[in-house]
Amino acid sequence: MTAQTEPPPGATRAATRAHGSMTDAPPWIGGVTIGTLFLAAAVLITYTLLPLPGQRSLGDVNYLVAGLLFVVHITFNRLYRTRIARRATTRGQQSRPEGPDAPAE
């Protein structure tokens, strides 16, 4: 292992990933997050440069739709990362030995 990928001495794998790394996430997570990001960008680009037939009738609601898609993208990412971080932190706490013979931190 190189110095960049090697965990600090005494650190467990769960403790090193407590920041919410998405390396263990299922592949559909990436599809959803990138899909919402690209869909929001597509709504903005098509409405401003070459409106689709239904987009003209919506008018400024297109900006609201794009904004909501961006919010969904960010919220989904944050919630999923927080859930991963919380799960990794609790796993790290469960693997620590407790009692009078446990090493002090």
Side-chain angles (χ1 to χ4, degrees):
M1 294 178 99
T2 64
Q4 292 176 343
T5 59
E6 191 172 309
T12 63
R13 181 176 182 208
T16 58
R17 298 223 174 146
H19 65 282
S21 173
M22 301 273 286
T23 56
D24 293 334
W28 63 269
I29 297 293
V32 168
T33 58
I34 296 300
T36 55
L37 183 66
F38 283 174
L39 189 59
V43 168
L44 287 176
I45 290 169
T46 57
Y47 178 64
T48 56
L49 297 178
L50 183 65
L52 298 174
Q55 282 183 312
R56 276 210 175 109
S57 63
L58 289 176
D60 288 342
V61 175
N62 288 296
Y63 294 115
L64 180 64
V65 169
L68 288 175
L69 285 169
F70 277 125
V71 168
V72 166
H73 167 74
I74 291 169
T75 304
F76 185 75
N77 262 345
R78 299 281 170 128
L79 287 175
Y80 194 78
R81 284 178 186 252
T82 303
R83 197 179 87 194
I84 288 175
R86 199 174 300 135
R87 193 176 338 138
T89 306
T90 56
R91 263 190 270 144
Q93 290 173 353
Q94 291 171 353
S95 64
R96 265 191 250 145
E98 295 180 9
D101 296 332
E105 290 183 8

